[in-house]
Amino acid sequence: MVEIIPKGPPKRPLWQNILFFLSIAAPFAAIASYFVLNHYSSQLAGQVEELQAQIFKVRTPEENALESELFEAENKVDDFASLLENHRYASKLFPFLGSICHPKVQFQSVEFSSSDSGFSVSFPAVAESYEVLHQQLLILRSESLILNFEMGDIGMGKEGGVTFSLKLNLSPQIFY
């Protein structure tokens, strides 16, 4: 059926009208609040500077000298604290070497070096036999704190036994 009376355009629901006006008002409110907060921030910074100037005028030279001494002492304490945090205890190396050394292997001397790439220990040693040397290798392979090792100069000693040189690259966890 054909309608003779024309109908008006349909009305939008109220919630759509509210959302439309909010979406227009929100960016303007954000921009306005930025400028307002920036203005208050600059005012407060000026007030802080004025108060610091007043404090500086009221202080005596002795108080200023004392304050500078306190700041120097604070810096020294902070430096010392950072040194203690990063300190490596080289003395922890010897119990570790004792724990990984086979009872029938003798280390003759120890050379320790530390660099940015890590920590290494080198030493000549004497084992009672090749079997003991093999057991020492198995001990070194099973230790997780040894990153890698190199063995060289293997030979027979003058007084018997097997001489060799050993270089260990160690994890930094040993020294902390």
Side-chain angles (χ1 to χ4, degrees):
M1 178 154 95
V2 178
E3 292 188 28
I4 301 177
I5 303 173
K7 290 185 179 178
K11 287 187 175 181
R12 279 189 270 171
L14 179 64
W15 66 270
Q16 283 183 348
N17 289 334
I18 292 172
L19 284 178
F20 174 73
F21 289 112
L22 283 177
S23 66
I24 291 176
F28 289 116
I31 292 170
S33 64
Y34 170 78
F35 287 111
V36 168
L37 291 176
N38 192 19
H39 174 70
Y40 284 128
S41 174
S42 63
Q43 273 186 339
L44 289 176
Q47 289 176 356
V48 167
E49 288 177 7
E50 289 174 12
L51 289 175
Q52 286 177 343
Q54 288 175 358
I55 289 171
F56 188 73
K57 288 178 185 177
V58 173
R59 285 189 186 164
T60 63
E62 293 88 18
E63 289 174 337
N64 290 334
L66 181 61
E67 183 181 10
S68 66
E69 286 178 25
L70 286 175
F71 282 131
E72 286 178 24
E74 180 185 21
N75 290 338
K76 288 178 183 179
V77 167
D78 290 342
D79 291 344
F80 187 71
S82 67
L83 282 175
L84 281 179
E85 285 176 12
N86 297 325
H87 180 68
R88 296 181 188 110
Y89 295 96
S91 60
K92 293 184 179 182
L93 174 67
F94 297 109
F96 173 73
L97 289 177
S99 71
I100 63 166
C101 181
H102 191 278
K104 295 183 180 180
V105 173
Q106 297 175 359
F107 297 148
Q108 295 175 334
S109 65
V110 176
E111 181 181 319
F112 175 75
S113 64
S114 172
S115 65
D116 293 337
S117 61
F119 306 96
S120 65
V121 179
S122 302
F123 42 82
V126 176
E128 226 177 62
S129 65
Y130 282 107
E131 183 180 350
V132 171
L133 178 61
H134 176 69
Q135 291 172 356
Q136 179 65 60
L137 286 174
L138 293 176
I139 292 170
L140 294 175
R141 282 188 184 154
S142 66
E143 182 57 49
S144 64
L145 294 175
I146 297 175
L147 302 176
N148 59 31
F149 64 91
E150 297 174 15
M151 184 175 287
D153 299 331
I154 300 174
M156 294 299 294
K158 292 179 183 176
E159 300 170 3
V162 180
T163 61
F164 62 96
S165 65
L166 189 60
K167 180 178 179 182
L168 305 175
N169 291 324
L170 303 174
S171 170
Q173 294 172 348
I174 295 172
F175 303 103
Y176 292 107

